[in-house]
Amino acid sequence: MSPGRTTELIIEQHPDRLPAQPPTVTAPRPAAERRVNYRRAEDRIAHREKVLLARALDVLASDVDAEARLAGLLRLLARTAGARHAAVLADGIERRAAVAVDPGEPVAGAEALAAWLDAHAPRSRAVRAASGRAPISFIVGNAPTSLEPAAMPDRDEGPEGDDTTHYAMLPIPSAGDVVLGFEFGRAGDADRLAERLPPQLARHAAVALALVTDQLATERELASLRARESERTHFVSTVAHELRTPLTGLRGFLELILDGRVGDPDVERDFLERSRGIVGSMGDLVDDLLEISRLESGTLGLDIGPFSIAEAGGQVAANLLPIAIDRGVALRTSLPPKMRVATADRRRVEQILTNLAGNALKFTPSGGSVEIVGRVDGLVAVLILRDDGPGIPLEDRDRIFERFHRMASHDRITGTGLGLPIARDLARRMDGDLGVASVPGGGSSFVLVLPGPAPVDPKLIDATLETALSDEEDALDERIVRRALAAAGREVGSGGLLRPVAGGRGGGEPARLRALPPIRPGPTSA
């Protein structure tokens, strides 16, 4: 360095709140297979290890989301082992399995592999007895074509595998309770799994899977946080609107009274009665908001146990009978013997039924009927609330379970718009579910399904609910047909025969009912 010259260190300055901006490093081209012959087995394993690491890095560095990278890694492992599918099972906070499937591919084979892996993975007898089935995640995603590995060079040559399925698994002790599972078309391929994925290759696979699953968990958490934040913002704005409207009315009534602008005592009393009604509706809204808060935070206490379906349904009917009489609506019950039980929180079930029956009484016209039905279908308890109301249009059938959603025709009906969302959340918290079947002009049927005498598989709950809703919709269709025939002076007898009604316009011999016009709108042919 010459005298008189100084050297200054250049440091990029940036605000403390922003991270440093590193240089951009692009990913190299994907690894290509060039080696064909090997001198010895150690040389072959070392080369396969190098290829697996290079391809795994290609997948991890690809410009796709974490789910697609996980799918790419599972496909890479399947191709490396010469298998049809690869699955991974891990015991973490929750025991879970994941298997990759192609878009549009049937999931039956992949589901069978994951279920087999969950059933046969090494576990102690106590852990196996205490834990249930592991949830299965089907990872659907296409990695870029350049990342799809070619068939491994040491793959068995010979005839293609038949339709027989062979499973094999490979525990990875260095990664904890992690097991890889594979589906093969030939028994010989399954027997050679340990040769194709020796311990060092399995360890590299576990490291890559750990990286991508951690990225996937981070992405899911960020997406969940964003969704919650958006929902919270929408919820707060909706609550503010729901409170502002009655508060404006309440303030107007009180200002008129306090300013002495109401001279008639009867009018003043009417305004006070209206104000009390507004305060009551606001109190109901606050109570519902607190209920939702407890449901979302998980602090809602549930006293789960068996209870009599007949006693719960009968108690709800008895409590609502005065309202039904006042509205001129017939309230009926069709309940099983007292020995038939459901397993849930009885107080919460009565709360759900009370909410459903209260809505039914609001929308059923005078002279109509509301019915509470209970039964046990196998291992599942079914509670149905039927009404003679106007029915729910198809486009509103799912939205009625959204918070604050109110149908356009229900603007004059009092309510917070939170009763049905709370009812469904409560049902699902008790391992049950709630759905609705409805036909415009034929009424509605709300179906609540709960575990019967003992806990049941969630799939059985879903299947029972779907069957019950289909049966209820058919019954509502039949109700409309009967009403139409009664208006025309005929009724449907046994065997689908039409017969005249006394005093009706129809007459003549009974004729078999062959066809009826469609009840719900559907596609029409030109």
Side-chain angles (χ1 to χ4, degrees), residues 111-122:
E111 184 177 12
L113 168 62
W116 177 88
L117 182 62
D118 179 37
H120 294 82

Side-chain angles (χ1 to χ4, degrees), residues 506-526:
E509 295 296 328
R512 182 168 297 276
L513 180 61
R514 296 184 180 274
L516 290 170
I519 301 303
R520 295 183 297 277
T524 58
S525 57

Side-chain angles (χ1 to χ4, degrees), residues 297-524:
S297 63
T299 59
L300 182 69
L302 294 174
D303 184 15
I304 303 296
F307 66 91
S308 171
I309 299 174
E311 291 180 357
Q315 184 64 46
V316 171
N319 294 339
L320 294 177
L321 184 58
I323 300 177
I325 295 174
D326 181 65
R327 295 179 179 271
V329 176
L331 181 58
R332 304 186 179 95
T333 60
S334 178
L335 301 170
K338 290 186 178 182
M339 296 300 293
R340 296 300 183 105
V341 300
T343 302
D345 186 329
R346 172 174 171 172
R347 185 171 68 88
R348 295 297 181 179
V349 172
E350 292 182 0
Q351 176 184 343
I352 295 173
L353 292 178
T354 300
N355 178 276
L356 298 176
N359 287 340
L361 292 173
K362 289 180 184 178
F363 297 112
T364 299
S366 178
S369 65
V370 172
E371 186 177 11
I372 301 176
V373 180
R375 65 173 185 266
V376 175
D377 289 345
L379 298 176
V380 180
V382 180
L383 290 160
I384 304 173
L385 203 294
R386 300 175 182 145
D387 64 55
D388 280 343
I392 303 170
L394 183 61
E395 61 272 14
D396 287 321
R397 214 162 295 172
D398 290 329
R399 298 200 62 196
I400 60 174
F401 293 102
E402 296 178 4
R403 296 173 184 176
F404 297 108
H405 175 74
R406 294 175 65 83
M407 293 168 54
S409 58
H410 295 173
D411 290 340
R412 297 184 179 181
I413 304 296
T414 59
T416 63
L418 294 174
L420 290 178
I422 291 175
R424 173 174 275 186
D425 287 346
L426 283 174
R428 291 176 174 176
R429 282 288 305 275
M430 295 184 292
D431 297 328
D433 207 348
L434 176 65
V436 61
S438 185
V439 175
S444 303
S445 295
F446 286 84
V447 180
L448 172 65
V449 290
L450 297 167
V456 296
D457 192 322
K459 292 183 179 179
L460 182 58
I461 291 287
D462 296 339
T464 304
L465 177 60
E466 184 176 354
T467 301
L469 291 176
S470 178
D471 293 342
E472 289 299 312
E473 194 154 349
D474 291 342
L476 293 174
D477 283 340
E478 183 180 348
R479 177 189 294 178
I480 293 182
V481 172
R482 291 182 180 275
R483 288 176 178 174
L485 294 175
R490 295 195 174 192
E491 65 180 11
V492 181
S494 59
L497 294 175
L498 291 175
R499 60 168 176 258
V501 177
R505 293 177 295 176
E509 295 296 328
R512 182 168 297 276
L513 180 61
R514 296 184 180 274
L516 290 170
I519 301 303
R520 295 183 297 277
T524 58

Side-chain angles (χ1 to χ4, degrees), residues 59-100:
V59 174
L60 293 175
S62 60
D63 189 19
V64 293
D65 57 22
E67 185 170 344
R69 289 195 290 272
L70 177 57
L73 285 177
L74 290 174
R75 290 193 186 93
L76 172 61
L77 292 175
R79 301 291 290 271
T80 302
R84 296 171 178 168
H85 289 102
V88 59
L89 176 71
D91 271 328
I93 299 177
E94 182 183 10
R95 180 180 177 85
R96 298 193 67 89
V99 58

